[in-house]
Amino acid sequence: MGQAFQQYLKDHRNQHLEQLKEFLKIPSISSLSEHKADVKKAAEWLQHELSLVGMENVQIFETDGHPIVYADWLHADEKPTVLIYGHYDVQPVDPIDLWETPPFEPSIRDEKIFARGASDDKGQVFMHIKAVEALFQTMGRLPVNIKLIIEGEEEIGSPHLPGFVEEYRNLLKADFLVISDTGIIEKGKPSICYGLRGLCGLQIDVKGAKTDLHSGQFGGAVQNAAHALVELLASFHDQDGKVTVEGFYDKVLPLTEEEKKAFLALNTDEEQIREELGVPELFGEKGFNFNERTWVRPTLEINGMASGFQGEGIKTVLPSEAMAKITCRLVPDQDPEEIYNLLVKHIEKHKPKGVTVSVTPFDQGAPFLTPFDHPAIQAAGRAYEKVYGVPTAFTRSGGSIPIVADFDRILGLPVVLMGFGLPNENFHAPNEHFHLENFDKGMETICHYWLDISTLSLR
């Protein structure tokens, strides 16, 4: 059975690549209003393709923004039901002059396909569709029940997806969720990310005098807004980088021994990381290694600051205003709103004299974690190993995908982040590309995964 779908994928590879090129040619840039029709065209392309491969109940759901595509096949009696999520919208292509070939004219060279959306996320969505096709063509049916939800607004923050999931939670009911909008840790080394950090962003504005003041006339007698901001920002950390906000770590879940062993098994070369970054030494909380600091420990980072004279030379003023943008990466079980309130309380407590301080909240997203010993996670690991021939690494990510937490909150589903991209594929940048090695192996992996899942009891 396995050989049948493998042979089918091999025999139809060129055809599949030409079909993928058709999909990639559509400039479905969700953030630009002039491409609204193109985004709709991509949704219609998916609707046609999903119907063609054998999926049922294929629908386009309109939203106040861009449409959502849904399809299912639910005839695998007593077998698990999986919900697959992806997105068909893409990032803008600027700066266009840095592209070696036009971003919406797909080009294959060096066994990579170059185009906007090749890796993020059209290529990975397409792989799921073709895996379904291969199983239908070689088995006549699917080994599990499958539902797909493919949105057109991920690159602008999925503003309408949470409301859709709330409204259609019964339609989307499943045993677990699979998302292929991530990657593997490095070429030839498959990995599964089972946890994401959350996000809490804010802006701090410090206001002193009603206007900038002459430093000779008023310096030493009036608070300098820039000085006040620096003093306030310095209060957030101790000398070792630990966050000093009261209550910040209270709900942080510790690593299990199994997770610690899995992280150590990655043999991360911290000296190589240091050299690649060009820093004299790595820095962070004492008692934690690089992976732990970036995956499972929360952070508070200053992302930007502005105050005073920025031009050439010197202008001897006391700035009347100063601003900083801050984001916190959060881990289970930290709550973004609770952390925001703790930060506001800290800012009020440490507010320097002689200024007023205001705080504005920005993006928030909850952290996410599926236990890495969950059967759906372990089955994904086995599927990777069958195709790639090496053990699967189990990792967490330092980044945030807020919609994952929304799915978890609304549907209560375990989430398997089963990606096939590579870190250096320039998603969101010029010359985005997708390695065809992972295109080929990825579809085989997905097929093996559904066959393995069909033998498990997840209910």
Side-chain angles (χ1 to χ4, degrees):
M1 190 184 304
Q3 290 181 346
F5 71 70
Q6 290 169 349
Q7 190 62 46
Y8 179 87
L9 291 169
K10 182 178 180 181
D11 292 344
H12 292 79
R13 184 180 194 256
N14 291 336
Q15 177 186 339
H16 290 165
L17 286 174
E18 290 304 311
Q19 291 170 339
L20 175 57
K21 287 181 181 180
E22 290 178 13
F23 192 22
L24 294 171
K25 286 179 181 178
I26 305 171
S28 51
I29 304 172
S30 55
S31 62
L32 301 179
S33 58
E34 61 262 36
H35 286 286
K36 185 175 179 65
D38 294 314
V39 179
K40 180 66 177 292
K41 183 179 179 181
E44 293 171 344
W45 189 95
L46 283 169
Q47 181 185 36
H48 175 75
E49 186 66 25
L50 287 165
S51 299
L52 207 61
V53 301
M55 295 299 290
E56 300 175 347
N57 301 310
V58 184
Q59 302 177 62
I60 290 180
F61 288 88
E62 299 294 342
T63 72
D64 289 337
H66 299 302
I68 293 170
V69 182
Y70 172 84
D72 63 34
W73 188 89
L74 306 173
H75 304 294
D77 296 338
E78 304 302 319
K79 298 297 183 181
T81 298
V82 56
L83 176 64
I84 302 169
Y85 163 84
H87 67 92
Y88 63 87
D89 64 319
V90 300
Q91 283 277 327
V93 297
D94 304 283
I96 189 69
D97 58 305
L98 295 183
W99 287 80
E100 294 182 22
T101 52
F104 295 110
E105 295 180 19
S107 171
I108 294 177
R109 53 187 186 272
D110 300 324
E111 277 300 287
K112 306 167 189 173
I113 184 165
F114 288 78
R116 173 58 87 226
S119 179
D120 180 23
D121 180 39
K122 284 182 176 178
Q124 301 199 56
V125 166
F126 183 82
M127 289 163 60
H128 276 285
I129 296 172
K130 291 300 146 180
V132 164
E133 177 184 294
L135 291 171
F136 270 131
Q137 292 297 319
T138 56
M139 295 177 58
R141 58 187 290 109
L142 299 179
V144 293
N145 300 295
I146 287 181
K147 299 178 179 181
L148 288 114
I149 176 173
I150 310 170
E151 69 155 325
E153 296 186 327
E154 194 274 345
E155 300 293 6
I156 55 173
S158 304
H160 298 102
L161 188 60
F164 177 86
V165 177
E166 287 273 14
E167 183 177 356
Y168 293 98
R169 60 197 311 163
N170 289 332
L171 178 69
L172 302 176
K173 187 176 180 181
D175 292 300
F176 66 101
L177 172 69
V178 168
I179 298 178
S180 294
D181 189 18
T182 54
I184 60 177
I185 197 166
E186 62 184 61
K187 180 177 172 62
K189 189 172 182 178
S191 56
I192 295 174
C193 175
Y194 64 94
L196 298 166
R197 290 197 290 190
L199 186 68
C200 175
L202 57 98
Q203 178 172 315
I204 302 173
D205 288 281
V206 176
K207 177 66 176 173
K210 61 183 179 181
T211 185
D212 288 357
L213 301 176
H214 190 287
S215 65
Q217 189 173 1
F218 294 98
V222 178
Q223 176 67 284
N224 182 318
H227 292 184
L229 178 63
V230 170
E231 179 184 337
L232 181 57
L233 296 178
S235 73
F236 283 121
H237 298 88
D238 67 15
Q239 293 298 310
D240 295 318
K242 184 176 181 179
V243 177
T244 54
V245 175
E246 187 174 349
F248 189 78
Y249 295 99
D250 285 358
K251 294 186 177 180
V252 174
L253 290 181
L255 271 178
T256 66
E257 288 302 315
E258 290 78 11
E259 288 175 300
K260 289 181 180 179
K261 291 177 182 177
F263 288 4
L264 289 174
L266 297 174
N267 295 316
T268 301
D269 188 339
E270 296 194 6
E271 178 59 20
Q272 180 180 348
I273 293 172
R274 185 199 65 77
E275 290 181 0
E276 290 176 353
L277 295 176
V279 294
E281 60 185 293
L282 298 178
F283 175 79
E285 275 189 277
K286 286 186 176 180
F288 299 95
N289 60 37
F290 180 85
N291 288 337
E292 291 169 340
R293 289 171 179 169
T294 56
W295 293 348
V296 301
R297 297 298 294 172
T299 64
L300 187 156
E301 299 290 346
I302 301 166
N303 307 127
M305 301 166 60
S307 183
F309 179 64
Q310 304 292 320
E312 184 177 355
I314 292 178
K315 185 178 181 182
T316 55
V317 296
L318 272 66
S320 66
E321 298 179 339
M323 176 276 294
K325 295 181 184 292
I326 288 174
T327 51
C328 297
R329 296 290 179 170
L330 309 180
V331 300
D333 282 335
Q334 291 180 304
D335 176 75
E337 186 173 351
E338 183 177 339
I339 292 298
Y340 174 77
N341 290 332
L342 291 175
L343 294 175
V344 171
K345 185 177 179 181
H346 177 94
I347 291 167
E348 183 62 31
K349 180 179 179 180
H350 292 82
K351 180 179 69 176
K353 295 179 180 179
V355 294
T356 57
V357 178
S358 59
V359 183
T360 304
F362 284 135
D363 295 353
Q364 291 191 0
F368 154 79
L369 182 68
T370 291
F372 91 125
D373 58 354
H374 189 280
I377 294 276
Q378 292 300 312
R382 292 192 295 271
Y384 276 117
E385 289 181 25
K386 285 179 182 177
V387 177
Y388 285 81
V390 296
T392 302
F394 294 92
T395 70
R396 293 204 208 176
S397 171
S400 306
I401 308 177
I403 192 59
V404 174
D406 287 328
F407 273 117
D408 183 45
R409 172 179 58 83
I410 299 168
L411 300 179
L413 298 178
V415 182
V416 181
L417 297 174
M418 193 175 187
F420 298 95
L422 286 173
N424 60 352
E425 289 182 333
N426 289 8
F427 42 86
H428 293 204
N431 301 308
E432 178 180 350
H433 57 278
F434 190 40
H435 285 68
L436 295 185
E437 175 187 3
N438 292 325
F439 176 78
D440 297 329
K441 290 184 175 181
M443 287 185 289
E444 286 189 33
T445 300
I446 293 167
C447 290
H448 279 297
Y449 189 36
W450 302 147
L451 290 168
D452 193 334
I453 286 294
S454 70
T455 67
L456 303 179
S457 176
L458 300 178
R459 299 182 179 180

